[in-house]
Amino acid sequence: MGEIVSSGIRNNWKPPLPADPETTGQLQEWLASEEYNLNGMGRDFRGADLSGGDFSDAWFTDAVLAGVRLVGASFYRADLQSADLTGADLTGADLARANLDEAVLRSARLDGAQMPRASLCDVDASGASFRGTNILGASLLDTDMRGADLTDAVLYENFFEIKVDDSTVVRGLTGTVFGPITVFSGESSRELAGAELESWIGARGGQVQVIPPRRPPK
């Protein structure tokens, strides 16, 4: 399988196609065209293997990508709002500036993915794997990471208002965040910020510095 490197040679890329005939037709039409942006809004891509594809600036709003292999795919500035990515394999994917607000990433694999300035607001990422992922300058607001694996992930000045529990792995997690996070234990929860947040992560093998939010310029 070749990789898409420009729209001009897109039709040389022949990925396994989705089971849904309408989505297959839409994808084939896009592959054969010189149009740059794929419109996959509301489409069902299950059964496809879109690894290595270039979906920069594409629309996947409300799309179903559950279980789809997207290894090394580029979603630069793509709109994945409310997309279902349950169990999807996004290992090594480029999600720079991608909009993942309200998406479902339950049990998805994002190991080694690049996520600078991505937006993950109100996202269900419970049980997802972010091992070695670069999450730089991203917005994680009300993001459920209970049971997620953040081993060796790198953070940089992220809004990091996430939900975690005792099964969330933060070993080797490094970088800077604004916080706070909410830690769930059974039916109870508590909010951690500042030194308490640093201590909680440190006790679990991570080393993160909590910094005050930037003040807007006068």
Side-chain angles (χ1 to χ4, degrees):
M1 183 188 305
E3 291 187 0
I4 299 174
V5 295
S6 72
S7 59
I9 61 171
R10 181 185 299 150
N11 57 2
N12 292 329
W13 184 60
K14 302 185 185 302
L17 295 169
D20 179 65
E22 291 187 3
T23 304
T24 289
Q26 179 84 7
L27 193 57
Q28 287 176 324
E29 182 179 338
W30 173 74
L31 287 167
S33 76
E34 293 300 318
E35 295 296 326
Y36 188 71
N37 301 337
L38 172 66
N39 185 350
M41 295 174 64
R43 297 291 188 182
D44 187 346
F45 289 88
R46 286 177 295 180
D49 184 342
L50 303 179
S51 297
D54 186 351
F55 304 105
S56 301
D57 295 300
W59 291 282
F60 289 96
T61 313
D62 295 313
V64 180
L65 292 148
V68 175
R69 291 191 78 249
L70 300 160
V71 176
S74 176
F75 292 95
Y76 176 73
R77 288 187 181 273
D79 190 340
L80 292 140
Q81 183 169 353
S82 301
D84 183 359
L85 290 145
T86 302
D89 189 349
L90 289 142
T91 300
D94 178 5
L95 291 156
R97 296 182 179 270
N99 175 16
L100 288 150
D101 294 348
E102 300 178 3
V104 179
L105 288 166
R106 281 194 303 267
S107 302
R109 182 176 296 276
L110 297 100
D111 298 345
Q114 303 297 315
M115 303 183 72
R117 304 191 71 81
S119 182
L120 291 87
C121 301
D122 196 22
V123 168
D124 182 357
S126 55
S129 182
F130 295 87
R131 296 174 67 91
T133 303
N134 287 314
I135 311 172
L136 314 175
S139 296
L140 286 77
L141 304 174
D142 199 25
T143 303
D144 191 343
M145 288 189 153
R146 284 175 282 190
D149 187 350
L150 290 155
T151 299
D152 296 330
V154 180
L155 311 172
Y156 179 73
E157 295 189 356
N158 294 314
F159 290 98
F160 205 56
E161 298 180 14
I162 66 173
K163 301 172 184 175
V164 300
D165 60 14
D166 289 336
S167 65
T168 303
V169 181
V170 295
R171 184 175 55 255
L173 179 68
T174 58
T176 54
V177 297
F178 297 126
I181 70 171
T182 303
V183 180
F184 286 82
S185 180
E187 297 298 320
S188 63
S189 65
R190 59 193 176 114
E191 190 173 277
L192 299 179
E196 279 190 310
L197 174 52
E198 291 178 359
S199 179
W200 187 88
I201 293 174
R204 288 158 178 79
Q207 188 174 5
V208 167
Q209 179 185 4
V210 179
I211 56 178
R214 290 176 174 172
R215 293 182 178 179
K218 294 182 180 180

